[in-house]
Amino acid sequence: DAGVTQSPTHLIKTRGQQVTLRCSPKSGHDTVSWYQQALGQGPQFIFQYYEEEERQRGNFPDRFSGHQFPNYSSELNVNALLLGDSALYLCASIQSGANVLTFGAGSRLTVL
Amino acid sequence: AQSVTQLGSHVSVSEGALVLLRCNYSSSVPPYLFWYVQYPNQGLQLLLKYTSAATLVKGINGFEAEFKKSETSFHLTKPSAHMSDAAEYFCAVSLGSNFGNEKLTFGTGTRLTIIP
């Protein structure tokens, strides 16, 4: 059983560009969350999607947006990239009402 | 609002020695508490979780943690360290009443080094 899969694993962008990261949740999971983990820090909650809608959001600017598709997969979009957006972006999935998140291996974004 | 404090950003122990990683939490409601491990260039793997059942929780790879409400602590221990335990460890808290709809709040992590 595949767990949470994320793509791409690594990517490099320049300031001002836009990026899209993708996530396929674990089979049977219907809720997807995104976290940003800066170097040397713990993950920070960006937002969560359920039934194709953003259910809650952390303290991130509107440059960060997302989408969930009918098959529960999700995308994270970041516009107008800043150097400070360089981080590991983690996707996590869960079946609504359960109590354990399953994390993917992450997408490492470098902004030059 | 909930928060987590991990005392000690770096911990070194000798192989075979006791591992103790400290975590204190703050939560306005009974929390759910978690320990995750992260190996280099990998995502997070759940070690164990406390969800208001037994206060002593046993996890994978010989780790365990004890929930102490009076001390607002959830320290992670392992009796005998192994070289493969070298990794980054994160404590996390979530509001227990509505998990699945709530975010995880993570600590800043503790890097565990094992000395041969």
Side-chain angles (χ1 to χ4, degrees), chain A residues 1-50:
Chain A
D1 177 29
V4 177
T5 58
Q6 294 187 241
S7 63
T9 55
H10 295 82
L11 70 166
I12 299 174
K13 294 286 188 178
T14 57
R15 282 178 295 174
Q17 285 188 313
Q18 179 264 345
V19 68
T20 297
L21 308 178
R22 296 176 176 81
C23 172
S24 293
K26 184 176 180 178
S27 178
H29 290 187
D30 57 8
T31 303
V32 173
S33 298
W34 287 91
Y35 288 78
Q36 180 196 64
Q37 185 179 13
L39 193 64
Q41 300 296 317
Q44 298 288 318
F45 176 77
I46 303 174
F47 42 54
Q48 182 184 76
Y49 277 84
Y50 172 70

Side-chain angles (χ1 to χ4, degrees), chain A residues 35 37 55-56 98-100, chain B residues 38 90 99-102 104:
Chain A
Y35 288 78
Q37 185 179 13
R55 182 155 63 180
Q56 59 175 319
N99 60 25
V100 178
Chain B
Q38 186 175 38
F90 293 94
F99 191 83
N101 300 330
E102 297 292 339
L104 280 179

Side-chain angles (χ1 to χ4, degrees), chain A residues 66-111:
Chain A
H67 189 77
Q68 186 180 34
F69 299 93
N71 66 353
Y72 308 120
S73 66
S74 177
E75 288 182 349
L76 164 65
N77 300 292
V78 186
N79 294 323
L81 285 167
L82 304 174
L83 295 179
D85 295 331
S86 295
L88 180 67
Y89 288 85
L90 296 166
C91 174
S93 71
I94 190 171
Q95 183 177 4
S96 185
N99 60 25
V100 178
L101 280 173
T102 300
F103 282 84
S107 293
R108 185 166 297 282
L109 171 64
T110 301
V111 182

Side-chain angles (χ1 to χ4, degrees), chain B residues 85-109:
Chain B
D85 295 328
E88 188 90 18
Y89 291 80
F90 293 94
C91 182
V93 63
S94 177
L95 298 181
S97 61
N98 196 25
F99 191 83
N101 300 330
E102 297 292 339
K103 65 180 182 179
L104 280 179
T105 299
F106 285 87
T108 53

Side-chain angles (χ1 to χ4, degrees), chain B residues 18-32:
Chain B
L18 171 71
V19 175
L20 171 61
L21 304 183
R22 300 178 185 274
C23 172
N24 288 89
Y25 71 90
S26 172
S27 177
S28 56
V29 299
Y32 282 6

